[in-house]
Amino acid sequence: MARSGAFCPRCGAEIEPGDGPAGDDRPAAAPDGRLCPDCYFEAFDLVDAPDRVEIDVCATCGAVKRGNRWVDVGATDYTDVAIDAVTEALGVHVEADDVTWEVTPEQVDETTIRMHATFSGSVDDRLLTEEVTVPVKIGRGTCDRCGRIAGGSYASVVQVRAAERTPSDAEMARARAIANEVVADMEATGDREAFVTEVAEVPEGLDLKVSTNKIGLKVARRLVDALGGSYEDSETLVTEDADGNEVYRVTFAVRLPAYRPGEVIDPGDDDGPVLVRSVRGNLKGTRLATGERYEADFADGDAPDARRLGERDDAESTTLVAVEDENAVQVLDPETYEAKTVPRPEYLDPDAEEVPVLKHRAGLHVLPEDSEE
């Protein structure tokens, strides 16, 4: 049997021809550049692991800093985040094949997770196993987004107002909800520049300060789509950016219609009161005397010249005494309990025992069971 004449510089064992793997990154070797297999694999590092891994987490929103940017991970438990960070930091030897690993996290305290990982892989058909422990330190900080919010940063203001009145609580609640919906939609696309900075009630209505002009425009448009009315925008120069470009703050003035769905008005056209059902575009509603559809003239739009008589929520349930004919019924006055003859609208159910009625300056009228369009 031929002998190589080479000996392992570590243990002195003779290295047979073709015995052991070859590679440029192995420890100091025999004259022909090789260690014996046992010594080579004893010094072989299957995994290159850092001494520790650090993770920066925003103390306000929980975002994690990756490189130079913050990423929303939606986590309350950062074990998975720690596993991902350790995975990215580990290096597996290029000669290893079929590498598998499992990890057991150990929560040391609120800011430290110790990751115990066991790796298995094969090199030149020899199965290797290596265990490493990597401490993960979680640091608390403030992301750019939360810093801007805390500093009151905003680029646009949406002013919610109403013609000839103050916006109702329901309308202002809808404005808040729409602003939050717009921000949520943009956040879902990964936009971390989307946020509501401040919501302030003022005597005239509501002011919404938002982070970008794009959000302000979307909120204004959705408000008009949902509640009717119109909006105008105006720009104010506030500063210049680092490149000398002018930076403008945009105000979107939303003006809601004078009337709201559910209000009862008298257009003064001698055909009786109208229950308002929609103020998107032309005001639309239902005649309380007949049940017929009402629509304001194009020139009047959502604000015809009318008197307010009450609201659908002011209606009271009372007894339907009798149906006199196709045009009239008798109901009990909810205040005096006298039987009174009132117009019979087409939506009235003649078999009903009770009906909702509204008593107002122009008389007493039966209302529909609902005020939806």
Side-chain angles (χ1 to χ4, degrees):
M1 179 178 178
R3 294 184 179 275
S4 66
F7 297 90
C8 176
R10 284 197 173 180
C11 69
E14 184 178 3
I15 300 176
E16 299 297 333
D19 190 12
D24 295 334
D25 58 349
R26 65 191 53 210
D32 64 351
R34 293 183 302 172
L35 295 171
C36 70
D38 290 339
C39 288
Y40 173 70
F41 284 115
E42 182 181 348
F44 188 89
D45 289 327
L46 180 62
V47 179
D48 180 21
D51 292 334
R52 79 172 188 171
V53 172
E54 295 183 356
I55 302 174
D56 289 329
V57 175
C58 178
T60 303
C61 70
V64 175
K65 191 171 187 180
R66 291 178 176 165
N68 294 323
R69 67 190 187 98
W70 291 86
V71 179
D72 292 310
V73 297
T76 54
D77 179 357
Y78 289 94
T79 300
D80 289 341
V81 176
I83 292 174
D84 291 340
V86 170
T87 302
E88 294 176 3
L90 291 172
V92 179
H93 200 288
V94 294
E95 294 183 14
D97 297 320
D98 302 324
V99 177
T100 61
W101 72 299
E102 60 182 26
V103 62
T104 303
E106 175 192 356
Q107 188 80 45
V108 179
D109 53 40
E110 290 185 359
T111 61
T112 305
I113 301 174
R114 189 176 289 131
M115 311 299 291
H116 303 281
T118 302
F119 290 80
S120 297
S122 61
V123 178
D124 284 0
D125 297 326
R126 178 177 290 210
L127 181 62
L128 302 179
T129 301
E130 186 170 334
E131 295 183 356
V132 296
T133 298
V134 181
V136 179
K137 191 70 175 177
I138 298 175
R140 300 290 180 176
T142 301
C143 70
D144 298 336
R145 179 177 185 268
C146 291
R148 291 181 59 197
I149 295 174
S153 173
Y154 68 98
S156 181
V157 182
V158 181
Q159 296 178 337
V160 184
R161 306 290 188 265
E164 302 176 9
R165 63 183 179 88
T166 301
S168 68
D169 290 343
E171 288 171 326
M172 290 194 287
R174 186 72 182 110
R176 289 187 181 92
I178 286 175
N180 291 329
E181 289 166 6
V182 169
V183 167
D185 289 345
M186 298 184 74
E187 285 180 333
T189 66
D191 186 353
R192 299 201 81 252
E193 297 301 313
F195 55 84
V196 177
T197 303
E198 181 182 343
V199 179
E201 290 191 21
V202 295
E204 302 83 7
L206 193 71
D207 287 348
L208 299 162
K209 294 181 179 179
V210 295
S211 58
T212 68
N213 294 330
K214 183 177 181 180
I215 295 176
L217 177 59
K218 286 189 175 185
V219 171
R221 286 176 173 174
R222 288 198 192 180
L223 268 172
V224 171
D225 288 343
L227 302 176
S230 61
Y231 73 88
E232 296 180 349
D233 60 81
S234 59
E235 296 182 339
T236 302
L237 178 64
V238 291
T239 187
E240 291 185 353
D241 62 20
D243 298 324
N245 299 314
E246 295 179 337
V247 178
Y248 290 87
R249 181 171 291 157
V250 180
T251 298
F252 295 92
V254 177
R255 184 161 293 275
L256 303 179
Y259 306 108
R260 296 178 289 109
E263 286 193 276
V264 176
I265 63 173
D266 183 0
D269 55 6
D270 298 327
D271 288 331
V274 170
L275 173 64
V276 179
R277 292 191 177 273
S278 171
V279 288
R280 296 193 295 271
N282 288 13
L283 184 146
K284 304 172 184 65
T286 302
R287 291 284 187 182
L288 298 185
T290 62
E292 295 177 351
R293 178 182 173 84
Y294 167 84
E295 183 171 349
D297 292 338
F298 179 79
D300 294 331
D302 58 23
D305 187 14
R307 289 189 307 163
R308 286 185 173 84
L309 300 179
E311 297 186 14
R312 177 69 180 79
D313 292 342
D314 297 331
E316 298 181 69
S317 182
T318 191
T319 301
L320 176 62
V321 178
V323 176
E324 294 186 353
D325 54 38
E326 294 181 355
N327 300 313
V329 295
Q330 280 192 357
V331 297
L332 287 184
D333 185 307
E335 294 180 358
T336 66
Y337 300 103
E338 298 178 70
K340 289 191 176 181
T341 299
V342 300
R344 175 185 174 180
E346 59 185 22
Y347 51 75
L348 182 140
D349 180 3
D351 296 324
E353 296 183 358
E354 293 188 341
V355 292
V357 298
L358 179 68
K359 189 172 184 180
H360 50 81
R361 70 182 76 176
L364 188 67
H365 284 86
V366 178
L367 271 63
E369 292 293 336
D370 62 75
S371 59
E372 298 297 324
E373 184 177 10

